[in-house]
Amino acid sequence: MPTRYAFLILRTDDATAPDRRVMSRGQSTLAEGQTPAEFAGKLLRENRSTRSHYTGPRRCSVWPIDGDGPIPRIAPDAALHFDD
């Protein structure tokens, strides 16, 4: 059974105000055999390509979800974090 994950990509530089750090958020089903780390890496590469105006550091947080609820602006404690 496919696993759905929520994701949140944030700017992590100190110069950006905390309320302006969200670059992308959403949810997706992991591809068969894909790990959360591979999923986050793919999201970070896509984000770096589509938002090339920002060249600073980013963090992608991912966590499994049930349903289609809204994605929060802060990742839950149980989220896995991957920096780029």
Side-chain angles (χ1 to χ4, degrees), residues 8-24 44 47-48 54-61 73 75 80-84:
L8 178 64
I9 299 177
L10 302 174
R11 297 174 182 219
T12 57
D13 64 313
D14 292 334
T16 303
D19 64 332
R20 301 197 36 90
R21 291 186 179 187
V22 174
M23 296 186 75
S24 182
L44 285 166
N47 186 267
R48 199 160 280 284
Y54 174 72
T55 59
R58 303 156 203 253
R59 169 173 286 165
C60 181
S61 301
R73 295 180 67 84
L80 301 171
H81 307 286
F82 304 92
D83 293 330
D84 177 38

Side-chain angles (χ1 to χ4, degrees), residues 9-10 25 29 33 42 53 60 70:
I9 299 177
L10 302 174
R25 63 183 171 175
T29 302
K42 177 180 176 277
H53 64 278
C60 181

